[in-house]
Amino acid sequence: MTSIYLIRHAEAEGNLYRIAQGQYDSNLTDRGWRQVRALERRFADVHIDAVYASDLYRTCATATAIYRPKGLPLHRVRELREICVGDWEQRTWGDIYRRDPEQMENFSFHPERWQVAGAETPRQVLDRALAAIREIARGSQGRTAAVFSHGYVIRLTLAALQGYTVEQLAQTPVGDNTAVSLIEAEGDDLRVAFRDDNSHLRTPEFLAGEKPRKRANGLEPGLYFEPLRLPEQGPWLAELVSAAWADAGQGRAFDRDRLLADAAARPTLVGYLGEEPVGLVQLGPENGWISLACIRPDCRKRGFGVQLIGQAVQHTRPRGGERLSVSLPAGSGAERFFRDCGFAPAAAEGGRAVWVKDIGFDPEILGGNASL
């Protein structure tokens, strides 16, 4: 008998920042890397003969949990990629809900009706993924393989093997990040032995590092972002930042005129929930610097702030930036927020500290060619 562990990638930026990542290359989050370590502990005593992953960074990074400690090569398989969502790629779920609610409803509950320009159909995804898994099974006869793929791909595949049609996909469960399923193969016959097991994420060792989650699921609408519009948004902007300035204990006077001048000259994005502005992020003057990030006081502690960081990542990385930086006064109330978002203090001068967050890709994980 051939055994295939089918494993979803760890939490990635799109999951946390509520961005449709599809076939867009994104990094793992800090929590995602903790999940990778938990997965490594789970498979420490499990014999694996070969490791396969889609050629996207987040699956290859997750696969390090198995192929590195076991000294195995990683086989990258393009056909295991996540569904291409076409025009939805890299847009926030909040923007998609706002502009395309009918197709968002179809994506969640009626996949057979889902149509987006430039996207694959669920049937196309299922056909390529099943073909790849069958080929892996044929090449692994009598052995055990670990296969890393994506949430939608895995859900489609498991549903099909358990007798569900694409139209019935909404009746099947969604596996957590790093959830493990086991497929057993005899000849061309594939059967699901178990699915979506996340017991390695329920151990005391992993749970000790967990924090309360501020969102229900990865498709929650969240925010959408638009460029700041001056002068009509000037009064609102000044009021919001004035309150945030005081809360953060900036240690210097709030300069409304300078704020408005900076907002006109630097990339400044306003985050909306529905039609209500709830926060903003301002970038520059150098690539990778966050000059301002704040959430309306009555909208805090709802998971919106981290989405500002997501916009900074999306702005910085395509321009060659590999880290985010922010300057904070010593003892600022904002330190906890930035620490929770993965920043760490790197330098201090004149009563202020520069906090940085690495957003670059590991070149060793990026390297390699597709196989199969």
Side-chain angles (χ1 to χ4, degrees):
M1 180 178 293
T2 302
S3 297
I4 298 175
Y5 288 101
L6 186 58
I7 305 165
R8 187 184 177 192
H9 66 78
E11 183 182 78
E13 291 168 337
N15 304 126
L16 180 62
Y17 302 147
R18 300 182 208 178
I19 294 169
Q21 51 195 354
Q23 295 189 358
Y24 168 65
D25 247 342
S26 59
N27 214 331
L28 299 186
T29 66
D30 294 336
R31 182 173 188 253
W33 282 112
R34 289 200 308 107
Q35 292 172 341
V36 169
R37 293 192 291 272
L39 199 62
E40 180 178 345
R41 291 191 292 269
R42 173 176 182 152
F43 279 90
D45 297 323
V46 178
H47 178 77
I48 300 292
D49 295 292
V51 182
Y52 300 83
S54 92
D55 60 347
L56 296 179
Y57 186 88
R58 57 191 184 271
T59 46
C60 294
T62 307
T64 62
I66 294 180
Y67 80 81
R68 281 184 174 175
K70 296 184 184 299
L72 296 169
L74 175 64
H75 304 283
R76 292 168 168 83
V77 183
R78 184 181 178 87
E79 289 74 18
L80 294 171
R81 278 187 172 197
E82 182 60 292
I83 183 171
C84 174
V85 292
D87 287 353
W88 285 9
E89 294 273 350
Q90 299 186 58
R91 288 169 55 190
T92 66
W93 289 112
D95 182 53
I96 293 168
Y97 268 97
R98 176 173 175 257
R99 298 180 184 276
D100 207 352
E102 180 180 357
Q103 288 304 327
M104 191 65 245
E105 176 79 7
N106 288 340
F107 186 76
S108 300
F109 302 107
H110 307 288
E112 74 282 2
R113 304 178 195 169
W114 183 67
Q115 291 184 329
V116 169
E120 293 178 284
T121 67
R123 173 54 62 183
Q124 289 172 326
V125 175
L126 177 59
D127 288 347
R128 65 166 164 82
L130 263 180
I133 290 171
R134 290 188 186 281
E135 188 165 351
I136 290 170
R138 285 193 291 270
S140 306
Q141 289 188 19
R143 298 186 298 166
T144 301
V147 176
F148 291 81
S149 190
H150 304 261
Y152 201 80
V153 171
I154 291 173
R155 190 182 185 194
L156 279 169
T157 300
L158 296 176
L161 294 179
Q162 291 183 319
Y164 291 90
T165 66
V166 169
E167 291 79 5
Q168 296 171 317
L169 184 65
Q171 301 174 27
T172 66
V174 179
D176 292 336
N177 292 110
T178 68
V180 178
S181 302
L182 177 62
I183 297 173
E184 295 178 338
E186 291 191 11
D188 287 334
D189 181 48
L190 304 179
R191 75 173 191 88
V192 178
F194 64 80
R195 64 175 293 170
D196 303 326
D197 180 78
N198 68 349
S199 55
H200 54 288
L201 303 183
R202 300 197 299 272
T203 64
E205 188 172 6
F206 180 79
L207 292 175
E210 282 287 80
K211 296 173 183 175
R213 306 298 284 173
K214 298 183 177 69
R215 61 189 175 94
N217 60 71
L219 297 185
E220 224 175 54
L223 304 182
Y224 67 91
F225 291 85
E226 292 187 350
L228 178 70
R229 298 187 303 273
L230 292 175
E232 64 265 32
Q233 289 181 327
W236 169 82
L237 169 65
E239 180 180 348
L240 169 64
V241 179
S242 177
W245 202 268
D247 288 349
Q250 284 288 339
R252 63 183 190 271
F254 171 63
D255 189 334
R256 179 182 182 278
D257 292 337
R258 178 179 175 181
L259 167 71
L260 295 178
D262 285 347
R266 299 179 184 176
T268 306
L269 296 172
V270 178
Y272 289 85
L273 184 67
E275 300 304 315
E276 285 291 315
V278 301
L280 63 84
V281 58
Q282 184 182 91
L283 306 167
E286 298 175 5
N287 187 35
W289 276 88
I290 299 174
S291 52
L292 181 63
C294 52
I295 293 290
R296 216 170 67 195
D298 60 325
C299 292
R300 293 175 187 168
K301 298 184 178 180
R302 295 171 60 183
F304 296 141
V306 72
Q307 296 176 61
L308 305 182
I309 305 303
Q311 292 302 300
V313 171
Q314 285 204 296
H315 181 274
T316 299
R317 190 181 288 138
R319 292 166 175 79
E322 294 191 345
R323 72 177 190 175
L324 298 179
S325 303
V326 62
S327 176
L328 300 174
S332 167
E335 287 184 355
R336 181 176 178 180
F337 166 74
F338 282 102
R339 190 185 299 277
D340 285 348
C341 290
F343 287 74
E349 183 177 353
R352 299 183 70 84
V354 175
W355 289 60
V356 300
K357 175 182 175 65
D358 180 20
I359 62 170
F361 292 132
D362 183 339
E364 290 187 8
I365 294 175
L366 278 175
N369 298 317
S371 65
L372 286 191

Coordinates of all heavy atoms in Angstrom, one line a residue, residues 179-252:
A179 N -3.2 21.4 8.4 CA -4.0 20.2 8.6 C -3.5 19.1 7.8 O -3.1 19.3 6.6 CB -5.5 20.5 8.3
V180 N -3.5 17.9 8.4 CA -2.9 16.7 7.7 C -4.1 15.7 7.4 O -4.9 15.4 8.2 CB -1.9 16.0 8.7 CG1 -1.4 14.7 8.0 CG2 -0.8 16.9 9.1
S181 N -4.0 15.3 6.1 CA -5.0 14.2 5.6 C -4.1 13.1 5.1 O -3.0 13.2 4.7 CB -5.9 14.7 4.5 OG -6.6 15.9 5.0
L182 N -4.7 11.9 5.2 CA -3.9 10.7 4.7 C -4.7 10.0 3.6 O -5.9 9.7 3.8 CB -3.7 9.7 5.8 CG -3.0 8.4 5.4 CD1 -1.6 8.7 4.8 CD2 -2.9 7.4 6.6
I183 N -4.1 9.9 2.4 CA -4.7 9.1 1.3 C -3.9 7.8 1.1 O -2.7 7.8 1.1 CB -4.6 10.0 0.0 CG1 -5.4 11.3 0.1 CG2 -5.0 9.2 -1.2 CD1 -5.2 12.2 -1.1
E184 N -4.6 6.7 1.0 CA -4.0 5.4 0.8 C -4.3 5.0 -0.6 O -5.5 5.1 -1.1 CB -4.6 4.4 1.8 CG -4.1 4.8 3.3 CD -4.7 3.8 4.3 OE1 -5.7 3.1 4.0 OE2 -4.1 3.7 5.4
A185 N -3.3 4.5 -1.3 CA -3.4 4.1 -2.7 C -3.1 2.7 -2.9 O -2.1 2.2 -2.4 CB -2.5 5.0 -3.6
E186 N -3.9 2.0 -3.7 CA -3.6 0.7 -4.2 C -3.9 0.6 -5.7 O -5.1 0.8 -6.1 CB -4.4 -0.4 -3.4 CG -4.0 -0.6 -2.0 CD -4.6 -1.8 -1.3 OE1 -5.2 -2.6 -2.1 OE2 -4.5 -1.9 -0.1
G187 N -2.9 0.6 -6.5 CA -3.1 0.7 -7.9 C -3.6 2.1 -8.2 O -3.1 3.1 -7.7
D188 N -4.7 2.2 -9.0 CA -5.3 3.5 -9.3 C -6.4 3.9 -8.3 O -7.0 4.9 -8.5 CB -5.9 3.5 -10.7 CG -4.8 3.5 -11.8 OD1 -3.7 4.0 -11.5 OD2 -5.0 3.0 -12.9
D189 N -6.6 3.1 -7.3 CA -7.6 3.4 -6.3 C -7.1 4.2 -5.2 O -6.1 3.8 -4.5 CB -8.2 2.0 -5.8 CG -9.3 2.3 -4.8 OD1 -10.2 3.1 -5.1 OD2 -9.3 1.7 -3.7
L190 N -7.7 5.4 -5.0 CA -7.3 6.3 -3.9 C -8.5 6.4 -2.9 O -9.6 6.5 -3.3 CB -7.0 7.7 -4.4 CG -5.9 7.8 -5.5 CD1 -5.8 9.3 -5.9 CD2 -4.6 7.3 -5.0
R191 N -8.1 6.3 -1.6 CA -9.2 6.4 -0.6 C -8.6 7.3 0.5 O -7.4 7.3 0.8 CB -9.7 5.1 0.0 CG -8.7 4.4 0.9 CD -9.4 3.2 1.5 NE -8.6 2.7 2.6 CZ -8.7 3.1 3.9 NH1 -9.6 4.0 4.2 NH2 -8.0 2.5 4.9
V192 N -9.6 8.0 1.2 CA -9.2 8.9 2.3 C -9.3 8.2 3.6 O -10.3 7.7 4.0 CB -10.1 10.2 2.3 CG1 -9.7 11.1 3.5 CG2 -10.1 10.9 1.0
A193 N -8.1 8.0 4.2 CA -8.1 7.3 5.5 C -8.5 8.2 6.6 O -9.2 7.8 7.5 CB -6.7 6.8 5.8
F194 N -8.0 9.4 6.6 CA -8.5 10.5 7.5 C -8.3 11.8 6.9 O -7.4 11.9 6.0 CB -7.9 10.4 8.9 CG -6.5 10.6 9.0 CD1 -5.9 11.9 9.0 CD2 -5.6 9.6 9.2 CE1 -4.5 12.1 9.1 CE2 -4.2 9.7 9.3 CZ -3.7 11.0 9.2
R195 N -8.9 12.9 7.4 CA -8.7 14.2 6.7 C -8.7 15.3 7.8 O -9.3 15.2 8.9 CB -9.9 14.5 5.7 CG -11.3 14.6 6.3 CD -12.3 15.0 5.2 NE -12.0 16.4 4.8 CZ -12.6 16.9 3.7 NH1 -13.5 16.2 3.0 NH2 -12.3 18.2 3.3
D196 N -8.0 16.4 7.5 CA -8.0 17.6 8.2 C -7.7 17.5 9.7 O -8.2 18.2 10.5 CB -9.4 18.3 8.0 CG -9.8 18.5 6.6 OD1 -8.9 18.8 5.8 OD2 -11.0 18.4 6.3
D197 N -6.7 16.6 10.0 CA -6.3 16.5 11.4 C -5.3 17.6 11.8 O -4.3 17.8 11.1 CB -5.7 15.1 11.6 CG -5.3 14.9 13.0 OD1 -6.2 14.6 13.9 OD2 -4.1 15.1 13.3
N198 N -5.6 18.3 12.8 CA -4.7 19.4 13.3 C -4.3 19.1 14.8 O -4.1 20.1 15.5 CB -5.4 20.7 13.2 CG -6.6 20.9 14.1 OD1 -7.0 19.9 14.8 ND2 -7.1 22.1 14.3
S199 N -4.2 17.9 15.2 CA -3.9 17.6 16.6 C -2.5 18.2 17.0 O -2.3 18.5 18.2 CB -3.9 16.1 16.8 OG -3.0 15.4 15.9
H200 N -1.6 18.4 16.0 CA -0.3 19.0 16.4 C -0.4 20.4 16.8 O 0.5 21.0 17.3 CB 0.7 18.8 15.2 CG 0.2 19.4 13.9 ND1 -0.8 18.7 13.2 CD2 0.5 20.5 13.2 CE1 -1.1 19.5 12.1 NE2 -0.3 20.5 12.1
L201 N -1.6 21.1 16.5 CA -1.8 22.4 16.9 C -2.6 22.5 18.2 O -3.0 23.6 18.6 CB -2.6 23.2 15.7 CG -1.9 23.2 14.4 CD1 -2.7 24.0 13.4 CD2 -0.5 23.7 14.4
R202 N -2.8 21.4 18.8 CA -3.6 21.4 20.0 C -2.7 20.9 21.2 O -3.2 20.7 22.3 CB -4.9 20.5 19.9 CG -5.8 21.0 18.8 CD -7.2 20.4 19.0 NE -7.2 18.9 19.0 CZ -7.3 18.2 17.8 NH1 -7.4 18.8 16.7 NH2 -7.3 16.9 17.9
T203 N -1.4 20.8 21.0 CA -0.5 20.4 22.0 C -0.2 21.6 23.0 O -0.3 22.7 22.5 CB 0.8 19.9 21.5 OG1 1.5 20.9 20.8 CG2 0.5 18.7 20.5
P204 N 0.1 21.3 24.2 CA 0.4 22.4 25.2 C 1.6 23.2 24.6 O 1.6 24.4 24.8 CB 0.8 21.6 26.5 CG 0.0 20.4 26.4 CD 0.0 20.0 24.9
E205 N 2.5 22.5 24.0 CA 3.7 23.3 23.5 C 3.3 24.3 22.5 O 3.9 25.4 22.5 CB 4.7 22.2 22.9 CG 6.0 22.9 22.5 CD 7.0 21.8 22.1 OE1 6.7 20.6 22.0 OE2 8.2 22.1 21.9
F206 N 2.4 24.0 21.5 CA 2.0 24.9 20.5 C 1.0 26.0 21.1 O 1.2 27.2 20.9 CB 1.3 24.2 19.4 CG 0.8 25.2 18.3 CD1 1.7 25.7 17.4 CD2 -0.5 25.6 18.2 CE1 1.3 26.6 16.4 CE2 -0.9 26.5 17.3 CZ 0.0 27.0 16.4
L207 N 0.1 25.5 21.9 CA -0.9 26.4 22.5 C -0.3 27.5 23.4 O -0.9 28.6 23.6 CB -2.0 25.6 23.2 CG -2.9 24.8 22.3 CD1 -3.8 23.9 23.2 CD2 -3.7 25.6 21.3
A208 N 0.8 27.2 24.0 CA 1.5 28.1 24.9 C 1.8 29.5 24.2 O 1.9 30.5 24.8 CB 2.8 27.5 25.5
G209 N 2.0 29.4 22.9 CA 2.3 30.6 22.1 C 1.2 31.2 21.4 O 1.3 32.2 20.7
E210 N 0.0 30.7 21.6 CA -1.2 31.2 20.9 C -1.7 32.4 21.6 O -1.7 32.6 22.8 CB -2.3 30.1 20.8 CG -2.1 29.1 19.8 CD -2.3 29.6 18.4 OE1 -1.4 30.3 17.8 OE2 -3.4 29.4 17.8
K211 N -2.3 33.3 20.8 CA -3.0 34.5 21.2 C -4.5 34.5 20.8 O -4.8 33.8 19.8 CB -2.3 35.8 20.7 CG -0.9 35.9 21.2 CD -0.2 37.0 20.6 CE 1.3 37.1 21.1 NZ 2.0 38.2 20.4
P212 N -5.4 35.2 21.4 CA -6.8 35.2 21.0 C -6.9 35.6 19.5 O -6.2 36.6 19.1 CB -7.4 36.2 21.9 CG -6.6 36.2 23.1 CD -5.2 36.0 22.6
R213 N -7.7 34.9 18.8 CA -7.9 35.3 17.4 C -9.0 36.3 17.3 O -10.0 36.2 17.9 CB -8.2 34.0 16.5 CG -7.3 32.9 16.7 CD -5.9 33.2 16.2 NE -5.8 33.3 14.7 CZ -4.7 33.7 14.1 NH1 -3.7 34.1 14.7 NH2 -4.7 33.7 12.7
K214 N -8.7 37.3 16.4 CA -9.7 38.4 16.3 C -10.5 38.3 15.0 O -11.2 39.3 14.6 CB -8.9 39.7 16.3 CG -8.2 40.0 17.6 CD -7.5 41.4 17.5 CE -6.8 41.7 18.8 NZ -5.6 40.8 19.0
R215 N -10.6 37.1 14.4 CA -11.4 37.0 13.2 C -11.9 35.6 13.2 O -11.3 34.6 13.7 CB -10.6 37.3 11.9 CG -9.4 36.3 11.7 CD -8.5 36.8 10.6 NE -7.3 36.0 10.5 CZ -7.2 35.0 9.7 NH1 -8.2 34.6 8.9 NH2 -6.1 34.3 9.6
A216 N -13.0 35.4 12.5 CA -13.7 34.1 12.4 C -13.0 33.1 11.4 O -12.8 32.0 11.6 CB -15.1 34.2 12.2
N217 N -12.7 33.7 10.2 CA -12.1 32.8 9.2 C -11.5 33.7 8.1 O -11.7 34.9 8.1 CB -13.2 31.9 8.5 CG -14.3 32.8 7.9 OD1 -14.1 33.4 6.9 ND2 -15.5 32.8 8.5
G218 N -10.7 33.1 7.2 CA -10.0 33.8 6.2 C -10.8 34.5 5.2 O -10.2 35.3 4.4
L219 N -12.1 34.2 5.0 CA -12.9 34.9 4.1 C -13.7 36.0 4.7 O -14.6 36.5 4.0 CB -13.8 33.9 3.3 CG -13.0 32.8 2.5 CD1 -14.0 32.0 1.7 CD2 -12.0 33.5 1.5
E220 N -13.5 36.3 6.0 CA -14.2 37.4 6.6 C -14.0 38.6 5.8 O -12.8 38.9 5.3 CB -13.7 37.5 8.0 CG -14.8 37.8 9.0 CD -14.2 37.8 10.4 OE1 -13.3 38.6 10.6 OE2 -14.7 37.0 11.2
P221 N -15.0 39.5 5.6 CA -14.8 40.6 4.7 C -13.6 41.5 5.0 O -12.8 41.8 4.2 CB -16.1 41.4 4.8 CG -17.1 40.4 5.2 CD -16.4 39.4 6.0
G222 N -13.4 41.9 6.3 CA -12.3 42.7 6.6 C -12.4 44.1 5.9 O -13.5 44.6 5.6
L223 N -11.3 44.7 5.7 CA -11.2 46.1 5.1 C -11.0 46.1 3.6 O -10.4 45.1 3.1 CB -10.1 46.9 5.8 CG -10.2 47.0 7.4 CD1 -9.1 47.8 7.9 CD2 -11.6 47.5 7.8
Y224 N -11.3 47.2 3.0 CA -10.8 47.5 1.7 C -10.1 48.8 1.8 O -10.4 49.6 2.7 CB -11.9 47.5 0.6 CG -13.0 48.5 0.7 CD1 -12.8 49.8 0.1 CD2 -14.1 48.3 1.5 CE1 -13.8 50.8 0.2 CE2 -15.1 49.3 1.6 CZ -14.9 50.5 0.9 OH -15.9 51.5 1.0
F225 N -9.2 49.1 0.9 CA -8.4 50.3 1.0 C -8.5 51.2 -0.3 O -8.6 50.7 -1.4 CB -6.9 49.9 1.2 CG -6.7 49.3 2.5 CD1 -6.9 47.9 2.7 CD2 -6.2 50.0 3.6 CE1 -6.7 47.3 4.0 CE2 -6.0 49.5 4.8 CZ -6.2 48.1 5.0
E226 N -8.5 52.5 0.0 CA -8.5 53.5 -1.1 C -7.5 54.6 -0.8 O -7.3 54.8 0.4 CB -9.9 54.0 -1.4 CG -10.9 53.0 -1.9 CD -12.2 53.7 -2.3 OE1 -12.4 54.9 -1.9 OE2 -13.0 53.0 -2.9
P227 N -6.9 55.2 -1.8 CA -6.0 56.3 -1.5 C -6.7 57.4 -0.7 O -7.9 57.7 -0.9 CB -5.5 56.8 -2.9 CG -5.8 55.6 -3.7 CD -7.0 54.9 -3.2
L228 N -6.0 58.1 0.2 CA -6.5 59.2 0.9 C -6.9 60.3 -0.1 O -6.2 60.6 -1.0 CB -5.5 59.8 1.9 CG -5.9 61.0 2.7 CD1 -6.9 60.6 3.7 CD2 -4.7 61.6 3.4
R229 N -8.1 60.9 0.2 CA -8.5 62.0 -0.7 C -8.5 63.3 0.1 O -9.2 63.5 1.1 CB -10.0 61.7 -1.2 CG -10.1 60.5 -2.0 CD -11.5 60.4 -2.6 NE -12.5 60.4 -1.6 CZ -12.9 59.3 -1.0 NH1 -12.4 58.1 -1.3 NH2 -13.9 59.3 0.0
L230 N -7.6 64.2 -0.3 CA -7.6 65.5 0.3 C -8.2 66.5 -0.7 O -8.0 66.3 -1.9 CB -6.1 65.9 0.6 CG -5.5 65.1 1.7 CD1 -4.0 65.5 1.9 CD2 -6.2 65.3 3.1
P231 N -8.8 67.6 -0.2 CA -8.9 68.0 1.2 C -10.1 67.5 2.0 O -10.2 67.7 3.2 CB -9.0 69.5 1.1 CG -9.8 69.7 -0.2 CD -9.3 68.6 -1.1
E232 N -11.0 66.7 1.3 CA -12.2 66.4 2.0 C -12.0 65.5 3.2 O -12.8 65.5 4.1 CB -13.3 65.8 1.0 CG -12.8 64.5 0.4 CD -12.2 64.6 -1.0 OE1 -11.5 65.7 -1.2 OE2 -12.3 63.7 -1.8
Q233 N -11.0 64.7 3.2 CA -10.8 63.8 4.3 C -9.8 64.4 5.3 O -9.5 63.8 6.3 CB -10.2 62.5 3.8 CG -11.3 61.6 3.1 CD -10.8 60.3 2.7 OE1 -9.6 60.1 2.4 NE2 -11.6 59.3 2.7
G234 N -9.3 65.6 5.1 CA -8.4 66.3 6.0 C -8.9 66.4 7.4 O -8.1 65.9 8.3
P235 N -10.1 66.9 7.7 CA -10.5 67.0 9.1 C -10.6 65.6 9.8 O -10.2 65.5 10.9 CB -11.9 67.7 8.9 CG -11.8 68.4 7.6 CD -10.9 67.6 6.7
W236 N -11.2 64.6 9.1 CA -11.3 63.3 9.7 C -9.9 62.7 10.0 O -9.6 62.2 11.0 CB -12.0 62.4 8.7 CG -11.9 60.9 9.1 CD1 -12.7 60.3 10.1 CD2 -11.0 60.0 8.6 NE1 -12.3 59.0 10.2 CE2 -11.2 58.8 9.3 CE3 -10.0 60.0 7.7 CZ2 -10.5 57.6 9.1 CZ3 -9.2 58.9 7.5 CH2 -9.5 57.7 8.2
L237 N -8.9 62.9 9.0 CA -7.6 62.4 9.2 C -6.9 63.0 10.4 O -6.4 62.4 11.3 CB -6.8 62.7 7.9 CG -5.3 62.5 8.0 CD1 -5.0 61.0 8.2 CD2 -4.6 63.0 6.8
A238 N -7.0 64.4 10.5 CA -6.4 65.0 11.6 C -7.0 64.6 13.0 O -6.3 64.4 13.9 CB -6.5 66.6 11.4
E239 N -8.3 64.4 13.0 CA -8.9 64.0 14.3 C -8.5 62.6 14.7 O -8.2 62.4 15.8 CB -10.5 64.1 14.1 CG -11.2 63.7 15.4 CD -12.7 63.7 15.1 OE1 -13.2 64.3 14.1 OE2 -13.5 63.2 16.0
L240 N -8.5 61.7 13.7 CA -8.0 60.3 14.0 C -6.6 60.3 14.5 O -6.3 59.7 15.5 CB -8.2 59.5 12.7 CG -7.5 58.1 12.8 CD1 -8.2 57.2 13.8 CD2 -7.6 57.4 11.4
V241 N -5.7 60.9 13.8 CA -4.3 60.9 14.1 C -4.0 61.6 15.4 O -3.2 61.2 16.2 CB -3.4 61.4 13.0 CG1 -2.0 61.3 13.3 CG2 -3.7 60.6 11.7
S242 N -4.7 62.7 15.7 CA -4.6 63.4 16.9 C -4.8 62.5 18.1 O -4.1 62.4 19.1 CB -5.5 64.6 17.0 OG -5.4 65.3 18.2
A243 N -5.9 61.7 18.0 CA -6.3 60.7 19.1 C -5.2 59.6 19.2 O -4.8 59.2 20.3 CB -7.6 60.1 18.8
A244 N -4.8 59.1 18.1 CA -3.8 58.0 18.1 C -2.4 58.6 18.6 O -1.7 57.9 19.3 CB -3.6 57.5 16.7
W245 N -2.1 59.8 18.3 CA -0.9 60.5 18.7 C -0.8 60.5 20.2 O 0.2 60.2 20.9 CB -0.8 61.9 18.2 CG 0.5 62.5 18.1 CD1 1.1 63.3 19.0 CD2 1.4 62.4 17.0 NE1 2.3 63.7 18.6 CE2 2.6 63.2 17.3 CE3 1.4 61.8 15.7 CZ2 3.6 63.3 16.5 CZ3 2.5 62.0 14.9 CH2 3.6 62.7 15.2
A246 N -2.0 60.9 20.8 CA -2.0 61.0 22.3 C -1.9 59.6 22.9 O -1.2 59.4 23.9 CB -3.3 61.7 22.7
D247 N -2.6 58.6 22.4 CA -2.6 57.3 22.9 C -1.2 56.7 22.9 O -0.8 55.9 23.8 CB -3.6 56.4 22.1 CG -5.0 56.7 22.4 OD1 -5.3 57.5 23.3 OD2 -5.9 56.2 21.7
A248 N -0.5 57.0 21.8 CA 0.9 56.4 21.6 C 1.9 57.1 22.4 O 3.1 56.6 22.5 CB 1.2 56.4 20.1
G249 N 1.6 58.2 23.1 CA 2.6 59.0 23.9 C 3.8 59.4 23.0 O 4.9 59.1 23.4
Q250 N 3.5 60.1 22.0 CA 4.6 60.4 21.0 C 5.7 61.3 21.6 O 6.8 61.3 21.1 CB 4.0 61.1 19.8 CG 3.2 60.1 18.8 CD 4.2 59.3 18.1 OE1 5.4 59.6 17.9 NE2 3.7 58.1 17.6
G251 N 5.4 62.0 22.6 CA 6.4 62.8 23.2 C 6.8 64.1 22.5 O 7.8 64.8 22.8
R252 N 6.0 64.4 21.5 CA 6.2 65.7 20.8 C 4.9 66.2 20.4 O 3.9 65.4 20.2 CB 7.2 65.6 19.7 CG 6.8 64.7 18.5 CD 7.9 64.7 17.5 NE 7.5 64.0 16.2 CZ 7.6 62.8 16.0 NH1 8.1 61.9 16.9 NH2 7.2 62.2 14.9

